[in-house]
Amino acid sequence: MSKNTRFNFIYILIIIPIYFFSTIFVNHLQQYEYIFTDVNNIKKYQIISNNDASYAYIKLDNNLYTKGYSSIFEIRKVYEDKNYFIAYYFREKNYIVVDKNTPSMKIYNEKEFKEKYKDIDDEKFVNIYNFLKRKGTKIGIYREVFL
């Protein structure tokens, strides 16, 4: 067997499978981040996915969470337009509404949200994975959430 043939054989048997599986592994563990600001660029809001991007975290303003509870909420569905960013906090069935015009952030229970925002129905919400894949940026294999 010639030296060139041996090199090709090693390349096919070892290098290509390593590259293929490492690419799948890295893409699976990669996180996404989406950062947006209000219309006047006063406040910055950050959404970071978990490793498989099936849900993401949004950090709330300090005055929005009860003392003793986390300020980070797990979200699975979102809606965004030029005026609002709305995240659905699935565990407690609350809606986190960021008004980009004021800028302000409020939490509504399901009933209050449906009364106040009648024109935004559930069909307008997008799965967080699809949203982040379209609008977010990849931030690497691991990063501490909300540094």
Side-chain angles (χ1 to χ4, degrees), residues 99-128:
D99 186 338
K100 295 178 184 178
N101 298 314
T102 24
S104 66
M105 195 180 222
K106 292 184 180 174
I107 299 175
Y108 296 96
N109 67 31
E110 200 166 9
K111 183 181 175 194
E112 292 170 334
F113 175 80
K114 299 219 184 235
E115 288 172 2
K116 184 164 182 158
Y117 300 97
K118 293 176 185 170
D119 57 331
I120 303 173
D121 57 3
D122 289 339
E123 286 82 40
K124 292 184 179 179
F125 280 79
V126 178
N127 177 293
I128 192 67

Side-chain angles (χ1 to χ4, degrees), residues 83-108:
N83 298 314
Y84 299 105
F85 177 87
I86 303 170
Y88 180 66
Y89 176 45
F90 79 101
R91 285 195 181 164
E92 296 184 15
K93 296 186 178 181
N94 289 330
Y95 291 84
I96 301 159
V97 178
V98 176
D99 186 338
K100 295 178 184 178
N101 298 314
T102 24
S104 66
M105 195 180 222
K106 292 184 180 174
I107 299 175
Y108 296 96

